[in-house]
Amino acid sequence: MFSTIPITVFIRKWRDAIAGSAAISAFCMQKYSKPLSLYIGIDGKKPPADTNCPLVIVFPGGKVEGGGETECRYTGSIGWSIIQSHVAKQDGIIENTGLYEADELGQLLLATIAEINPSYPVSHVEYSFESNDFFPQFPGRMDITIQVPVRMGTQISY
């Protein structure tokens, strides 16, 4: 029998790390004067409203495991969104400041996930956020991969 980790182990650890992050909490209170809304999965027919921003959604993930694998791969996705309608104008430059805030929140989320288990670091991230279609909402998403080496006779854990 090969060793396996339920994908819900990752979801719970990511949930707890995000909920317990002082940096994320401080960011949300400083920028939006309200705490982060954290969702573990969502009802696609009734998604969170703009009033729920700033928000983070931890989506279910996937995994690759098996007796012939030399390493197991676990993937998960995190979405986030902020509301920022401020547009800065100076010297002919017009900037939607929400771009910077959305990226800052995304980077805080990534750093938080990366710190959970240094023995199994984040090995791959696909990261993007939207700046046009949803203004003044700035949604982002990252797909995260963590690789765990498999060693004969050991139980893997995260």
Side-chain angles (χ1 to χ4, degrees), residues 78 126 139 144 146:
I78 296 176
E126 293 185 31
I144 299 169
I146 295 172

Side-chain angles (χ1 to χ4, degrees), residues 61-72:
K63 62 183 179 173
V64 175
E65 298 175 321
E69 299 292 330
T70 58
E71 64 183 19
C72 298

Side-chain angles (χ1 to χ4, degrees), residues 131-143:
S131 64
N132 302 325
D133 293 341
F134 303 101
F135 183 85
Q137 188 175 142
F138 292 84
R141 182 180 178 107
M142 68 180 93
D143 300 317

